[in-house]
Amino acid sequence: MRAMRIHEYGPPDVLRSEEVPAPAPGPGQVLISVEAVGVGFAQTQMRRDIFPAPMWRPTFPIVLGGDVIGVVAEVGAGVTGVAAGDRVGAYTLHGAYAEQVVVDAGTLLPVPSWMDAAQATVLPSSGPIASGTMRVAELQPGESVLVHAASGGIGHISVQLARLMGAGQVIATAGTPAKCAFAGDMGADLVVDYSRDDWADQVREATGGRGVDVVLDSVGGGVLRRGIDLLAPFGRLVFYGSAQGGREIPHISLMELIGLKRVTGFALSAWRNARPRRYRADHDALVEYLRSGAVRHHIHATERLEDVAEAHKIIESRGHCGRIVLVVE
Ligand SMILES: NC(=O)c1ccc[n+]([C@@H]2O[C@H](COP(=O)([O-])OP(=O)(O)OC[C@H]3O[C@@H](n4cnc5c(N)ncnc54)[C@H](OP(=O)(O)O)[C@@H]3O)[C@@H](O)[C@H]2O)c1
């Protein structure tokens, strides 16, 4: 089978198309024949070796992970509840940029037959991260939510789900006028260009000086620090990515939280393992929102598997809105 492998960290061109043996599913695993893969910002950090999470320490050659949509080709020993021919989705840290990938059966989600494969790439990570971060924040009806990087693959889903999950005010940030316009189209009440020095003042003003109840932060760095400052009493900030900071994660003093503020981390695997029923119910709700049109998954570009380097270049040029998808032809 074809796989896009890297033998060293570096620029997008380290991603090389190679013929490799198809992997075999072990106990508790399934083999998926891949239809489409959602490419995320995290994989560009992995390729450059600046990914902040310590759980990702592979050995070369590496096939990067992503949001896989495909059909089960084979099941390993002990797998129940899923069979060859089932259409599934999975978020995996390894092996996705390939014609076939092995994943743990426990991480699979069902994908309806009516859903286009590129559209379905929202199901494994963007959707559950958007809803999961707001569950962890314990978002209450009528509260205000500040969504950073709101034009990105996850961000534009967070903006839409915040409203559907009961937020009273949705404030979005993005880095260019075009991205701000896109986040506004997704339903944000206010979009602030956070490349401007006064962005935090604009957010505070929009909340009547009180601050925001919930901040969803995948940017880190100085944005994180100002987000903590912007929290209203009893406000919660959920940190789930470090697009700006890479491995430089700000150190937070407890004194910054003394005004009745909370900061929580979020990793998708931890959320799925801790609240499997809630995770699955949110998946089912998202499928229904996509079917009815209440949530739109915007695909910025679709590339062939072998053009994955192009997909990484698009993400790193930072001009995209929504998700970049690879299709296996
Ligand atoms: N915790 C988890 O389980 C988990 C799992 C997967 C992904 N993530 C994280 O979720 C975040 C969003 O992922 P995604 O795939 O949706 O990414 P994406 O579509 O590429 O969005 C990333 C966004 O980050 C913003 N950004 C801010 N500072 C940046 C910088 N210095 N360089 C590049 N972009 C910067 C960009 O928007 P502007 O240009 O508007 O600033 C961009 O829209 C990432 O931080 C990723 O690592 C977390």
Side-chain angles (χ1 to χ4, degrees), residues 5-6 9 108 131 151 238 290 296:
R5 300 205 297 184
I6 67 174
Y9 296 116
L108 295 178
S131 52
S151 69
V238 182
L290 291 162
R296 285 182 285 153

Side-chain angles (χ1 to χ4, degrees), residues 140-155:
Q140 301 300 309
E143 286 192 323
S144 54
V145 179
L146 173 61
V147 181
H148 285 306
S151 69
I154 297 169

Side-chain angles (χ1 to χ4, degrees), residues 161-287:
L161 285 181
R163 179 79 69 216
L164 291 163
M165 290 173 72
Q169 185 181 29
V170 182
I171 304 172
T173 64
T176 66
K179 287 177 162 188
C180 288
F182 173 75
D185 285 347
M186 293 298 114
D189 297 300
L190 171 73
V191 190
V192 172
D193 184 337
Y194 64 173
S195 66
R196 290 176 48 139
D197 281 347
D198 66 345
W199 71 263
D201 299 333
Q202 291 183 51
V203 173
R204 187 172 290 286
E205 196 178 310
T207 62
R210 182 178 161 271
V212 286
D213 298 305
V214 170
V215 178
L216 306 181
D217 188 330
S218 62
V219 175
V223 170
L224 174 78
R225 183 132 271 134
R226 290 171 91 176
I228 294 171
D229 188 49
L230 276 171
L231 287 174
F234 302 104
R236 293 85 65 202
L237 182 147
V238 182
F239 171 70
Y240 69 99
S242 180
Q244 185 184 84
R247 288 208 179 115
E248 299 294 317
I249 309 296
H251 289 261
I252 298 162
S253 158
L254 286 177
M255 288 309 294
E256 292 178 62
L257 308 180
I258 207 154
L260 309 178
K261 303 175 180 194
R262 244 164 59 193
V263 174
T264 312
F266 179 95
L268 180 58
S269 53
W271 167 244
R272 184 181 57 218
N273 294 339
R275 292 284 186 273
R277 283 197 297 273
R278 182 75 264 173
Y279 166 83
R280 181 54 196 267
D282 285 341
H283 165 81
D284 294 345
L286 178 58
V287 168

